[in-house]
């Protein structure tokens, strides 16, 4: 499977688009025949598979989101796999927007998307015969290829403290590091501020799973004395979606496995340099297909989808601003992190918003200038000193090992579109 996806990487853009179109046509027909939710939704909307002949025709289909998926969960499974789910591989969503969902993958999708994931790692220098220093929230289920020394992992538990992880870094001196972006940022600040010496330099550092801005990346570069830090974007629903290359001109999207759209609030494609909601259509997974799925993240569209690295997968995404639900007014999580990243002594914190006020929970071992923190966050959010409070305690990690920088007591709303159509919850 790996040779197949590597071959596609070398193909001309026209050939990749031909493959994408072929896979989309198959998936639309497959969903209409085999997935009860889509059959009902599209039929009620007057849509037939024959009407979706090219990529632009996707706009004829309604957009769905996680709330729709939750409300109709059993009806998203293909009838081909519904009775054998217990035999399929699955991933659990992070639960950052509520109760986690199990995302099942058929065997072909599991193998193909694993190869897509490895392709992105190899593009920034990773050698599959070398171990990955790998932060994760639970022990790994070994894959058969691990027994042959392929893609071995040094398991770093999310239950470890930042200082325990630093000791593991010093012990193993890993060549290749694969870490949650926010966790590695917090660790890197401690390395710099405690003047911890690392007597080797990793060949590549790959971040994922959490919002990771360019300014956070600079902190990691300084801590590890390397320029080879690359962010990747993936989701439980689609596995790997996009990744940074060595030129750092944006995120290349794996368009052989997913179709991206970046849309405004009216469902129109945004212009380059503008922000929009990321909508994804999966082309590989038949067990639980997701068509025009609003992933809940806001991104900025790139000015130019060509990259000087020569890879033909387009770098459509310029930067990632964070989850839509975590915006505070019009201010994105990325903007907030970019004004707080360099406050000395502040490495582990969480911003909790509630009724127009902010509570900033800070780990007890953080020693920093509270006035500077309030000044910066008050300025960007237009809040007075009295609207911002700071409390010391333990910033807990989620069950998935994340430590969200921003939290909210506001639940995502159900879209007006689905309330009116009376299909938010529907008994088939």
């Amino acid at each position: 499977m790996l040779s197949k996806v590597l071959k596609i990487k070398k193909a001309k853009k026209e050939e990749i688009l031909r493959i994408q179109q072929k896979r989309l046509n198959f998936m639309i027909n497959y969903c209409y025949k085999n997935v009860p939710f889509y059959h009902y939704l599209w039929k009620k909307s007057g849509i037939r598979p024959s009407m979706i002949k090219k990529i632009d025709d996707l706009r004829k289909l309604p957009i769905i989101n996680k709330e729709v998926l939750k409300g109709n969960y059993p009806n998203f499974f293909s009838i081909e796999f519904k009775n054998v789910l217990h035999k399929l591989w699955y991933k659990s969503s992070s639960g950052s927007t509520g109760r986690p969902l199990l995302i099942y993958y058929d065997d072909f999708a599991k193998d193909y998307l694993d190869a897509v994931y490895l392709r992105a790692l190899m593009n920034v220098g990773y050698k599959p015969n070398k171990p990955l220093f790998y932060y994760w929230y639970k022990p790994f289920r070994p894959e058969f290829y691990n027994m042959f020394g392929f893609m071995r992992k040094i398991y770093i538990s999310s239950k470890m403290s930042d200082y325990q992880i630093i000791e593991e870094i010093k012990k193993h001196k890993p060549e290749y590091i694969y870490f949650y972006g926010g966790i590695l940022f917090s660790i890197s600040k401690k390395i710099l501020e405690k003047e911890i010496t690392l007597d080797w330099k990793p060949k590549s550092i790959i971040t994922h799973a959490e919002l990771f801005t360019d300014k956070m990346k600079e902190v990691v570069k300084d801590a590890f004395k390397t320029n080879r830090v690359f962010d990747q974007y993936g989701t439980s629903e689609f596995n790997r979606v996009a990744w940074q290359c060595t030129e750092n001109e944006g995120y290349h999207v794996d368009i052989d496995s997913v179709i991206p759209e970046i849309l405004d609030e009216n469902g129109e494609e945004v212009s380059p340099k503008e922000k929009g909601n990321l909508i994804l259509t999966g082309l590989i997974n038949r067990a639980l297909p997701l068509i025009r799925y609003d992933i809940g993240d806001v991104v900025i569209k790139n000015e130019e989808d060509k990259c000087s690295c020569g890879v033909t997968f387009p770098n459509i995404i310029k930067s990632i601003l964070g989850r839509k639900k975590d915006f505070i007014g019009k201010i994105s999580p990325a903007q907030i992190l970019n004004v707080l990243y360099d406050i000395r002594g502040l490495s582990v914190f969480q911003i909790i918003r509630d009724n127009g006020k902010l509570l900033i929970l800070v780990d007890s071992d953080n020693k920093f200038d509270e006035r500077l923190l309030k000044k910066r966050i008050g300025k960007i959010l237009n809040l007075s000193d009295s609207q911002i409070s700071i409390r010391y305690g333990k910033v807990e990690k989620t069950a998935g090992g994340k430590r969200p920088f921003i939290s909210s007591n506001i639940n995502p709303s159900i879209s007006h579109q689905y309330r009116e159509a009376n299909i938010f919850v529907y008994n088939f």
Side-chain angles (χ1 to χ4, degrees):
M1 193 66 76
L2 180 60
S3 62
K4 183 175 183 177
V5 300
L6 290 177
K7 183 179 179 180
I8 292 175
K9 176 189 169 185
K10 296 177 182 178
K12 293 181 179 180
K13 185 176 180 179
E14 294 75 16
E15 174 63 14
I16 297 174
L17 291 174
R18 188 192 66 79
I19 292 170
Q20 183 190 57
Q21 181 68 67
K22 183 178 179 180
R23 290 178 177 176
L24 174 64
N25 292 342
F26 170 83
M27 188 60 74
I28 295 298
N29 280 279
Y30 182 87
C31 288
Y32 191 80
K33 293 177 182 178
N34 296 284
V35 182
F37 178 83
Y38 293 118
H39 182 85
Y40 169 80
L41 174 61
W42 297 346
K43 189 173 182 180
K44 182 169 182 169
S45 302
I47 296 168
R48 299 290 183 271
S50 59
M51 298 168 65
I52 313 299
K53 295 180 179 178
K54 54 185 185 298
I55 302 299
D56 287 346
D57 289 337
L58 271 176
R59 298 178 185 179
K60 299 174 183 177
L61 301 176
I63 294 172
I64 62 173
N65 57 28
K66 186 167 286 189
E67 294 304 305
V68 175
L69 174 59
K70 286 180 180 179
N72 296 278
Y73 185 61
N75 299 304
F76 271 91
F77 293 114
S78 164
I79 58 175
E80 180 184 1
F81 298 98
K82 193 168 186 177
N83 295 324
V84 294
L85 292 179
H86 61 285
K87 297 181 180 180
L88 299 183
W89 186 84
Y90 66 87
K91 293 181 76 172
S92 175
S93 68
S94 66
S96 59
T97 58
R99 191 175 68 179
L101 287 174
L102 297 183
I103 308 297
Y104 289 88
Y105 292 82
D106 61 78
D107 291 341
F108 174 82
K110 164 68 165 61
D111 292 345
Y112 192 94
L113 295 175
D114 274 357
V116 167
Y117 153 77
L118 178 54
R119 180 176 65 190
L121 295 180
M122 292 174 65
N123 196 70
V124 292
Y126 172 64
K127 308 295 182 185
N129 63 326
K130 297 288 186 177
L132 270 175
F133 191 77
Y134 203 117
Y135 174 92
W136 199 239
Y137 63 95
K138 61 181 178 181
F140 302 114
R141 291 175 287 178
E143 303 282 359
F144 77 93
Y145 47 73
N146 296 146
M147 295 185 292
F148 301 99
F150 194 77
M151 285 194 74
R152 291 167 293 147
K153 296 169 183 174
I154 301 171
Y155 171 53
I156 303 301
S157 172
S158 63
K159 293 180 172 59
M160 290 182 179
S161 70
D162 287 359
Y163 287 110
Q164 287 175 320
I165 293 173
I166 290 172
E167 288 305 310
E168 289 296 305
I169 290 172
K170 292 167 65 178
K171 172 185 172 182
H172 290 281
K173 299 181 180 180
E175 292 181 88
Y176 301 98
I177 296 174
Y178 189 74
F179 245 67
Y180 288 10
I183 300 294
L184 193 61
F185 166 74
S186 299
I187 289 168
S188 297
K189 288 209 72 175
K190 289 182 171 68
I191 290 172
L192 291 170
E193 291 169 3
K194 300 295 182 181
E195 298 182 348
I196 296 171
T197 301
L198 302 179
D199 58 358
W200 100 109
K201 186 165 64 174
K203 292 183 177 178
S204 291
I205 296 174
I206 301 102
T207 58
H208 70 117
E210 294 179 310
L211 181 61
F212 190 66
T213 70
D214 284 344
K215 290 188 176 181
M216 294 168 71
K217 181 188 285 191
E218 291 305 313
V219 172
V220 174
K221 287 180 177 180
D222 288 345
F224 287 87
K225 304 295 187 292
T226 179
N227 286 322
R228 295 188 59 80
V229 181
F230 313 100
D231 191 38
Q232 296 189 353
Y233 176 74
T235 73
S236 299
E237 294 91 338
F238 298 93
N239 207 2
R240 181 65 58 249
V241 172
W243 40 275
Q244 291 179 333
C245 69
T246 53
E247 298 301 318
N248 196 30
E249 295 176 6
Y251 290 76
H252 291 272
V253 177
D254 292 302
I255 60 171
D256 58 330
S257 64
V258 69
I259 296 174
E261 300 173 79
I262 304 175
L263 307 180
D264 63 20
E265 295 302 326
N266 297 316
E268 299 295 328
E269 190 75 26
V270 301
S271 299
K273 300 171 67 173
E274 289 184 346
K275 68 181 179 183
N277 303 315
L278 184 61
I279 313 298
L280 299 172
T281 294
L283 300 175
I284 303 299
N285 187 20
R286 291 173 295 146
L288 201 163
L290 294 171
I291 308 296
R292 297 205 85 198
Y293 183 76
D294 186 341
I295 199 69
D297 288 331
V298 179
V299 303
I300 293 179
K301 187 176 182 178
N302 220 342
E303 297 175 66
E304 175 61 61
D305 66 4
K306 292 182 181 178
C307 181
S308 57
C309 74
V311 174
T312 49
F313 287 99
N315 56 338
I316 299 166
I317 299 170
K318 177 64 177 176
S319 60
I320 298 164
L321 298 181
R323 298 199 71 80
K324 187 164 34 179
K325 74 178 186 67
D326 291 335
F327 274 59
I328 300 179
K330 294 183 178 181
I331 306 302
S332 72
Q335 290 171 289
I336 295 171
L337 291 174
N338 280 341
V339 300
L340 302 182
Y341 82 101
D342 63 344
I343 296 179
R344 183 171 181 82
L346 181 67
S347 61
V348 179
F349 61 92
Q350 186 176 75
I351 299 169
I352 303 168
R353 56 177 176 164
D354 189 13
N355 296 325
K357 294 185 178 182
L358 287 187
L359 167 65
I360 305 176
L361 177 63
V362 183
D363 248 23
S364 299
D365 68 347
N366 283 214
K367 308 298 179 186
F368 62 96
D369 186 339
E370 291 188 7
R371 291 175 301 175
L372 179 59
L373 172 59
K374 283 191 171 186
K375 179 181 178 181
R376 288 194 182 180
I377 205 162
K379 182 177 180 180
I380 192 172
L381 296 177
N382 194 28
L383 295 174
S384 66
D385 227 41
S386 62
Q387 292 176 295
I388 305 169
S389 58
I390 297 172
R391 190 180 77 201
Y392 291 88
K394 183 171 179 56
V395 179
E396 299 287 351
K397 293 178 181 177
T398 67
K402 297 180 181 180
R403 201 159 46 200
F405 287 111
I406 297 176
S407 182
S408 172
N409 65 342
I410 301 172
N411 293 320
S413 62
I414 300 168
S415 81
H416 182 66
Q417 169 189 357
Y418 288 97
R419 286 202 303 271
E420 279 196 348
N422 194 30
I423 59 170
F424 177 65
V425 178
Y426 185 83
N427 294 317
F428 292 85

